[in-house]
Amino acid sequence: MAWNRLLVTVGNDFRIVFKAAGAFKFAIANHMRRDLVLSVLTCQNDGSVIINQLRAFCGNASNDAVRIACSRGGRRAASAAAALKEEVAEAPAPTYPKYDLTSEDLRRLGKQRNIGVSAHIDSGKTTLTERILYYTGRIGEIHEVRGRDAVGAKMDSMELEREKGITIQSAATFCDWNAKLPTGEQQNYAINIIDTPGHVDFTIEVERALRVLDGAILVLCAVSGVQSQTTTVDRQMRRYNVPRISFINKMDRPGANPWRVIGQIRSKLRIAAAAVHVPIGVEDQFRGVVDLVRWKAVYNEGEKGNTVRETDEIPADVLELAKQKRTELIEQLAEVDDEIADLVIMDEEPSLEQLAAAVRRATVGLKFSPVFLGSAIKNTGVQPLLDGVCAYLPNPAESTVTAHDTSQPVTAPPVPLTPAANAPLVALAFKLEEGRFGQLTYMRVYQGGLKKGGFIYHARTGKKVKVPRLVRMHSNEMEDIEAIGPGEICATFGVECASGDTFTDGSTSFSMTSMYVPEPVISLALKPVGTESPNFSRALNRFQKEDPTFKVHIDQESKETIISGMGELHLEIYVERMKREYNVECTTGKPKVAFRETVTQRADFMYTHKKQTGGAGQYAKIIGYIEPCEPDPETGKDIAFESIVMSGNVPSNYIPAVEKGFYEALEKGSLSGNPVSGCRMTLSDGAFHIVDSSELAFRLATMGAFREVYSKAAPVILEPIMTVEVVAPAEFQGAVISGLNSRRGTILDSEVREDEFTAVAEVALNDMFGYSSQLRGATQGKGEFSMEYKTHQPVLPQVQKELEDAYRRTLPQAKK
C-alpha cells in the first residue's frame, strides 16, 4: 500500500489525532512522513469500515488508539458509533495528576473576585458600576448613563450606548477595594467586573459573562421588583452555578418597597433570601442603612457619598424593624445552613462571626442570596455592597470548574480543574471584539498562567499560537501586562479563534464546554443602498464572529441577504453600526419570523428510488416511519434518526447516507418552506442493488420518502410565542390590556402597585411588529415593554392556510 497516499481525516486537524494516541502516532511515524500525507478516508463512511481501514493502516496499533482516533470525528454517524461500541472494548478511565494549591496560590486567590452585574433593563446596573469604579479610584469623576454631559458612563463606551442610554455590549474592568469585613478587619481585594446589558435582545452578552464569572450582583428595582428579564438572568445564573448577592437599587424612588421585592425573590426566583440591610429613611429621605450582621448604622456623607460614617447607635425609628429583620435573616439561614439551624434549635443567638460565616457558606453553596439596599444614583449603599462582594461571594478557588478530555469518549466523566499556577494552562475565550489593533480576544484563565510572548495551543484545531500582546481591560481602554495567573480575566490580540474556544499549553487535551446560545427569533432582509461594497460583507462577517446570536444567510430563492437575531432592537443596532462603523447604509425589508414546521402523528413509508441513465443506475429502497419527537431535556435537540435495520437488507455503510438525507429533507418543509423540527425518522428495512446502489441513491431515496410521507403525518406550522411584560401607569391599564388582546395575546398575570401596573402576556411574535409605537400612543409615551422568546406553538388554521398559499405562489410552476 502507498502509505504516503493515506490519511485518516477524523478531526478538524489531523495533528490532534497524532497527539491523541501514542500507538497511532507510532504506527504512522513508522510508515511515512507527516508532510506527505493526503486525505482519502473520512468519517462519513461506515464505522466498521473506518475501524478496519484504521487497523490495516496502523498495523499493531492498539484498540484504544483506534477508538481514540475514531472519536475525533466530531459529529459521528450513528452507525460509526454503533460499530465502535461493538468492536472496541471500553478503555480504562485515565488518571490525571493532581495539583495542590500552594500557600501563595491561596493567598492570591483569596483576595480575588470575578463578578458580573446583571439585571432587567433600566434597573441601574451601569449606574451602579460607575459608582463602584469611582469609589475604588478607577475613575476620577462620576458621569451619568445617558451622557447628558457629552461624556457618558465609563462602561458604555460605544457612541450608540450613550445616545440610547442602554448597554449593548458587556464591558470588563478591574479595580482594587479595601474591604471592611464583618469581623472588623480590613483587607485589600482585586475585583474583575463585567457590566452586562439588561435588554433581552443582547442576552448572549449576559450568557458569556456568567459563563466565566465566580459570582454576580443581581440588581433589582425597589419599585418594579422581579421583572421578566430578572427571571431570565436568574435562569442563566443557575445554568452556570453562579452564586449571587442581590442589590435592591432605587431606594430613593417613590413607592420603593424592599420587603415586597424580597418576597418576590423567594416566590418567583425560588431562592432563600433575606435582607442584610434595613433602610434608614425611605424614598427622598433615604440616607443610609443598618447593617444587620455587624449591627451598625452606615451613612454616606459628603458631596458624592465618598465618606462612609459608621455608628453603633441604631436610629430609634428603625430599631424595632431592624431587630425583626435580623431575626428573619437568622430564620432564613436556619433553613439552609445546619450550623445556624442547630443554634436556633438550642435557642442560642449566633455570634457575629457565626452569622457572617453562615451567610457566606449558604451564598457560595447556591442556597441563599443576601439582599443589600441602596441607591446608586444618590451614591448611597454602594460601599457596603462592595464589602459584601468581598465577604460573601466566592473566590476562584471555591468555584467548581471542569473540562472534558477530548482524547476520551463524550460520555467520559469531566476532569476537575484547579486554579494552581504550576498546573498546565487551560483558558477559555469567551468574547471577541474587533479592536483598533485587530481581533481582541477576552479570556478567563482557569489554571496555569499566560505570558506575553509565550505559546499556547488551540484545543479545537491543535494550532500553536504566539501571544504577542496581553492586556487587562478597563472598558474600552487597556493596560499592558506581562503575565496573568489562574482565576483572572485578560484580553489578547492576534489570536484567531471563535467564541467559546479553549486554549492550553499543549500538554493536555482538555476542552471546556462553551456557553448556551439561544436560537434567533426574528429575521430581516438586508440590502445596501447603492452598489454593494466590500465593507458590507466585512461588517456582517465581523458581527457574526462577535455575536453567536446574530446569523446571516443568503435565501436561495429570493437571493436576498437575510439577517437573524433576538429581536427588532438587536437587528436595528447592527444596521446602525454598519452605517456608523463601516459607512454602509442599508435598507431592511419586512421582518421575517422564524416559523417552523412539525409533524403531529406517525406515518409509515415504503419508497423506492430507481433511475437508469445508461451504465450503472441508481437504486435504493427504504422502509420505516416518521413520528413526533419531544425535545431532549439536556441538549434541547428535537430531531433524531434511528436505524433498527436487521439482517443487512440495507448495508451498514449506506445508513449514514440515509441519515444525511433525512437531515437535508428537514431543512425545508413542504407547507411553508421553513425548517422542520420535532421529528424522528426510524429506518426499519429496505433493499439494495449490488451494482446500482450508492450513498447518493440512498440519500435521494430518503429525501423523496420524507417528502412523500410528510403530508400523511398531519404537519402543522409553528410560530414563535413571546413572553411580553408591559409596565405602564395604572390609568392606562384598560388600553394596554385591550391592545394585547387585539394582538391575540393571552394575559398570564397582572399586578397593580401604587401608581403603575404590570401585565405579563404570551403573544405570537408575528403579531408583535409595531407594538412599541402602539404602546407609546396608548400610554402617552409612558409605557414600556420587554419581550422574550418562550416556545413555538401551532399557528391558527386560517394563518396556516395564508402561509401555505403565500409559499405556493413563490414556487416554480412545475413544483406546484
Side-chain angles (χ1 to χ4, degrees):
M1 185 181 283
W3 292 107
N4 64 335
R5 301 287 299 168
L6 187 61
L7 165 70
V8 186
T9 55
V10 288
N12 289 329
D13 190 320
F14 70 86
R15 282 170 291 184
I16 301 175
V17 179
F18 288 129
K19 239 167 63 178
F24 189 39
K25 179 177 173 182
F26 173 79
I28 292 175
N30 272 299
H31 290 301
M32 61 188 189
R33 297 203 332 266
R34 294 182 191 179
D35 57 351
L36 294 177
V37 173
L38 299 174
S39 169
V40 294
L41 177 64
T42 72
C43 249
Q44 297 300 315
N45 291 328
D46 173 61
S48 56
V49 176
I50 294 169
I51 293 168
N52 292 334
Q53 289 195 261
L54 268 172
R55 288 212 178 104
F57 175 49
C58 298
N60 62 350
S62 66
N63 277 352
D64 201 31
V66 174
R67 180 181 58 75
I68 291 168
C70 283
S71 72
R72 296 302 311 164
R75 180 170 163 255
R76 288 183 298 178
S79 60
L84 285 170
K85 191 173 178 182
E86 287 170 18
E87 298 216 5
V88 183
E90 273 300 317
T95 55
Y96 301 97
K98 281 193 166 61
Y99 297 91
D100 294 324
L101 294 172
T102 63
S103 55
E104 176 58 30
D105 285 334
L106 291 168
R107 186 193 63 77
R108 184 179 55 78
L109 292 169
K111 296 182 179 180
Q112 174 77 42
R113 297 289 182 272
N114 297 313
I115 63 163
V117 184
S118 302
H120 184 87
I121 189 168
D122 208 25
S123 294
K125 297 176 299 300
T126 306
T127 307
L128 173 63
T129 311
E130 185 81 356
R131 268 61 181 179
I132 289 173
L133 295 178
Y134 175 70
Y135 294 134
T136 55
R138 288 295 292 157
I139 55 176
E141 285 294 324
I142 293 175
H143 296 287
E144 296 314 321
V145 169
R146 292 196 180 270
R148 294 187 186 94
D149 54 2
V151 178
K154 179 67 187 174
M155 302 303 275
D156 284 351
S157 56
M158 197 189 292
E159 190 183 333
L160 264 172
E161 292 180 314
R162 292 176 177 178
E163 276 181 27
K164 291 182 176 288
I166 60 170
T167 303
I168 293 169
Q169 288 187 328
S170 58
T173 186
F174 63 97
C175 57
D176 294 311
W177 177 245
N178 191 20
K180 185 173 285 185
L181 300 176
T183 51
E185 60 181 308
Q186 289 196 314
Q187 278 191 25
N188 210 42
Y189 286 83
I191 306 174
N192 283 311
I193 303 170
I194 298 182
D195 177 35
T196 63
H199 203 288
V200 69
D201 285 19
F202 311 108
T203 190
I204 188 64
E205 294 289 336
V206 187
E207 285 282 347
R208 55 178 157 208
L210 292 175
R211 170 68 184 83
V212 298
L213 293 171
D214 303 315
I217 301 172
L218 178 64
V219 184
L220 301 112
C221 173
V223 179
S224 304
V226 173
Q227 296 165 276
S228 62
Q229 190 62 12
T230 317
T231 314
T232 304
V233 169
D234 169 72
R235 193 163 59 243
Q236 291 167 323
M237 288 178 181
R238 290 174 189 273
R239 184 179 291 133
Y240 303 114
N241 294 324
V242 178
R244 90 285 295 270
I245 58 178
S246 303
F247 179 66
I248 298 179
N249 193 22
K250 303 189 179 183
M251 283 296 298
D252 59 304
R253 276 185 59 182
N257 185 348
W259 316 121
R260 183 178 58 79
V261 179
I262 292 170
Q264 288 183 335
I265 294 173
R266 292 173 191 157
S267 61
K268 292 188 177 181
L269 304 185
R270 299 187 183 282
I271 185 168
V276 291
H277 283 170
V278 164
I280 301 173
V282 288
E283 300 179 359
D284 56 342
Q285 299 299 312
F286 179 63
R287 61 189 189 277
V289 293
V290 176
D291 187 327
L292 300 178
V293 177
R294 293 163 56 224
W295 202 246
K296 287 183 183 291
V298 183
Y299 302 91
N300 282 87
E301 295 177 346
E303 186 192 346
K304 292 179 179 172
N306 297 45
T307 308
V308 178
R309 180 171 66 86
E310 291 186 356
T311 171
D312 291 331
E313 187 183 335
I314 310 298
D317 55 337
V318 296
L319 182 60
E320 200 54 45
L321 178 66
K323 286 179 180 176
Q324 179 192 331
K325 292 300 173 184
R326 192 172 195 271
T327 305
E328 188 180 302
L329 169 65
I330 294 168
E331 286 171 355
Q332 284 288 321
L333 280 170
E335 290 183 16
V336 294
D337 186 82
D338 292 341
E339 191 176 315
I340 297 294
D342 291 343
L343 291 171
V344 170
I345 290 167
M346 302 293 289
D347 210 16
E348 292 178 24
E349 183 75 14
S351 66
L352 186 151
E353 289 79 10
Q354 287 173 321
L355 191 57
V359 173
R360 178 178 173 77
R361 252 194 326 272
T363 306
V364 172
L366 304 169
K367 299 172 186 172
F368 178 77
S369 178
V371 182
F372 293 76
L373 310 178
S375 170
I377 197 81
K378 296 290 183 184
N379 311 314
T380 307
V382 178
Q383 294 98 323
L385 173 69
L386 272 170
D387 292 341
V389 165
C390 300
Y392 303 131
L393 286 181
N395 64 52
E398 293 171 304
S399 296
T400 304
V401 181
T402 59
H404 174 64
D405 186 346
T406 54
S407 67
Q408 296 301 310
V410 180
T411 53
V415 184
L417 300 182
T418 311
N422 63 345
L425 170 71
V426 178
L428 180 72
F430 66 94
K431 178 176 161 68
L432 310 179
E433 206 175 273
E434 194 70 30
R436 292 166 298 195
F437 311 104
Q439 181 176 300
L440 182 66
T441 306
Y442 287 76
M443 282 191 193
R444 162 77 193 261
V445 180
Y446 283 97
Q447 69 174 30
L450 203 55
K451 288 184 180 176
K452 179 183 173 184
F455 287 94
I456 56 176
Y457 288 80
H458 193 298
R460 183 164 51 84
T461 64
K463 287 180 182 174
K464 186 179 180 182
V465 187
K466 187 176 182 180
V467 182
R469 188 178 175 195
L470 207 56
V471 295
R472 291 179 80 178
M473 297 305 298
H474 179 43
S475 187
N476 59 336
E477 297 172 13
M478 50 195 77
E479 179 184 295
D480 280 279
I481 51 173
E482 292 299 313
I484 200 139
E488 298 201 52
I489 292 170
C490 66
T492 179
F493 285 100
V495 175
E496 270 301 311
C497 66
S499 184
D501 283 349
T502 305
F503 288 91
T504 68
D505 60 359
S507 65
T508 64
S509 50
F510 293 163
S511 177
M512 303 197 69
T513 54
S514 188
M515 71 284 297
Y516 167 78
V517 179
E519 284 298 312
V521 296
I522 187 171
S523 301
L524 287 177
L526 189 71
K527 191 178 179 184
V529 175
T531 55
E532 187 175 316
S533 68
N535 275 358
F536 179 71
S537 56
R538 197 174 293 140
L540 291 178
N541 286 336
R542 173 196 160 184
F543 296 150
Q544 267 194 106
K545 202 171 183 184
E546 288 182 5
D547 183 352
T549 59
F550 179 72
K551 304 280 175 70
V552 181
H553 74 276
I554 306 293
D555 188 279
Q556 294 304 319
E557 290 179 357
S558 64
K559 304 301 179 192
E560 288 181 314
T561 302
I562 307 294
I563 56 172
S564 307
M566 300 306 295
E568 284 180 277
L569 178 65
H570 189 208
L571 299 181
E572 182 190 310
I573 291 291
Y574 278 120
V575 173
E576 185 64 28
R577 284 182 67 186
M578 288 180 77
K579 182 180 175 183
R580 295 187 185 208
E581 297 173 28
Y582 287 89
N583 201 25
V584 177
E585 194 169 341
C586 296
T587 57
T588 53
K590 182 184 181 302
K592 183 182 169 191
V593 176
F595 289 105
R596 293 182 198 162
E597 296 182 24
T598 192
V599 296
T600 57
Q601 66 186 43
R602 172 175 162 158
D604 297 319
F605 61 82
M606 180 189 290
Y607 188 86
T608 304
H609 173 73
K610 195 187 290 184
K611 198 171 184 184
Q612 197 65 41
T613 53
Q618 292 178 17
Y619 178 84
K621 181 178 181 180
I622 56 172
I623 301 170
Y625 57 88
I626 63 172
E627 62 182 349
C629 178
E630 290 295 319
D632 185 294
E634 288 183 17
T635 62
K637 192 177 177 186
D638 60 357
I639 53 175
F641 173 80
E642 188 180 356
S643 170
I644 54 172
V645 177
M646 306 293 284
S647 72
N649 285 350
V650 178
S652 56
N653 54 318
Y654 291 144
I655 290 174
V658 177
E659 184 176 1
K660 191 176 179 186
F662 169 60
Y663 288 130
E664 272 187 52
L666 292 177
E667 289 173 9
K668 208 164 196 178
S670 54
L671 294 182
S672 62
N674 288 293
V676 180
S677 62
C679 181
R680 176 190 286 110
M681 174 181 271
T682 303
L683 180 67
S684 58
D685 205 352
F688 74 104
H689 188 275
I690 195 74
V691 174
D692 290 352
S693 288
S694 63
E695 288 189 6
L696 174 64
F698 273 94
R699 187 163 63 84
L700 294 174
T702 309
M703 293 169 73
F706 185 82
R707 290 195 192 103
E708 184 181 88
V709 77
Y710 187 60
S711 57
K712 299 174 190 170
V716 294
I717 299 173
L718 305 175
E719 62 182 341
I721 303 296
M722 314 299 285
T723 300
V724 179
E725 182 179 32
V726 185
V727 180
E731 71 240 45
F732 301 113
Q733 184 175 1
V736 170
I737 298 289
S738 65
L740 289 170
N741 286 334
S742 70
R743 293 172 182 267
R744 297 192 295 118
T746 304
I747 309 295
L748 301 178
D749 184 26
S750 65
E751 181 185 359
V752 180
R753 47 175 184 264
E754 281 87 35
D755 55 349
E756 70 176 19
F757 89 101
T758 304
V760 180
E762 283 183 4
V763 192
L765 177 62
N766 204 33
D767 296 317
M768 282 302 292
F769 297 123
Y771 182 64
S772 53
S773 52
Q774 184 201 337
L775 180 66
R776 286 192 198 106
T779 60
Q780 299 173 8
K782 297 173 184 174
E784 58 182 49
F785 80 100
S786 61
M787 188 167 66
E788 180 189 1
Y789 169 75
K790 185 179 183 186
T791 184
H792 270 74
Q793 287 180 6
V795 299
L796 294 173
Q798 67 267 26
V799 178
Q800 176 154 330
K801 189 173 185 310
E802 287 170 18
L803 291 169
E804 286 183 41
D805 292 343
Y807 176 61
R808 207 172 287 116
R809 285 195 292 272
T810 66
L811 293 174
Q813 194 66 34
K815 289 188 179 180
K816 286 184 181 177

